[in-house]
């Protein structure tokens, strides 16, 4: 009966396996509650921080900042492309100059050889 079941758990036993199980269950519940409180506190702190940041930067126009950043990134990309093109052109010119010098050296060598014979 219900009364018999109630009397078997009440008052709670102070020793024995049932007491151990109840004590462990109570500890587990306390750990879960503590964790839940901690998580809730962290969430609240995060929300407060977010709200504070929002209030702090409420006057800043985020859209214009984004557009400005995008424009600067585009300008930087164009500048990098121009620098890369300039370097490529310089390397090409250097290579062509080296080839022209080799050709001129070969012609001069050939001319000297022709003069000797």
């Amino acid at each position: 009966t219900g009364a018999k079941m109630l009397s078997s758990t009440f008052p709670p036993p102070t020793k024995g396996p049932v007491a151990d199980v109840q004590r462990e269950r109570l500890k587990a519940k306390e750990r879960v509650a503590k964790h839940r409180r901690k998580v809730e506190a962290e969430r609240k702190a995060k929300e407060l921080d977010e709200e504070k940041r929002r209030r702090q930067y409420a006057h800043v126009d985020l859209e214009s900042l984004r557009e400005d950043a995008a424009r600067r990134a585009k300008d930087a990309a164009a500048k990098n492309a121009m620098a890369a093109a300039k370097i490529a052109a310089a390397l090409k010119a250097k290579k062509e100059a080296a080839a022209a010098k080799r050709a001129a050296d070969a012609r001069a060598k050939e001319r000297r050889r022709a003069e000797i014979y």
Side-chain angles (χ1 to χ4, degrees):
T1 64
K4 185 176 179 192
M5 286 175 67
L6 181 65
S7 68
S8 71
T9 59
F10 192 85
T14 52
K15 54 180 162 253
V18 175
D20 292 344
V21 167
Q22 286 180 342
R23 214 174 293 114
E24 289 304 317
R25 193 173 287 152
L26 184 65
K27 283 183 188 173
K29 282 182 178 177
E30 285 173 356
R31 276 196 305 272
V32 167
K34 185 179 176 186
H35 177 69
R36 211 173 268 143
R37 281 194 301 270
K38 181 182 165 199
V39 167
E40 187 65 23
E42 285 174 354
R43 189 183 61 76
K44 276 193 177 144
K46 201 172 178 184
E47 283 178 3
L48 285 172
D49 199 35
E50 191 90 11
E51 186 62 35
K52 185 176 150 193
R53 194 167 36 253
R54 245 187 241 115
R55 276 200 307 273
Q56 186 180 357
Y57 295 112
H59 66 285
V60 177
D61 183 11
L62 290 177
E63 197 55 43
S64 70
L65 278 178
R66 280 194 194 97
E67 288 171 4
D68 195 32
R71 188 170 48 255
R72 277 201 303 271
K74 198 174 177 183
D75 291 349
K79 200 181 239 181
N80 285 346
M82 282 172 47
K86 194 174 180 182
I87 290 170
L91 286 173
K92 186 178 177 192
K94 184 178 175 185
K95 211 178 258 183
E96 287 172 354
K101 186 178 183 312
R102 279 196 306 275
D105 287 348
R107 281 194 300 274
K109 191 174 180 184
E110 192 61 40
R111 197 175 304 118
R112 281 195 303 277
R113 189 176 290 134
E115 288 172 1
I116 292 169
Y117 297 112

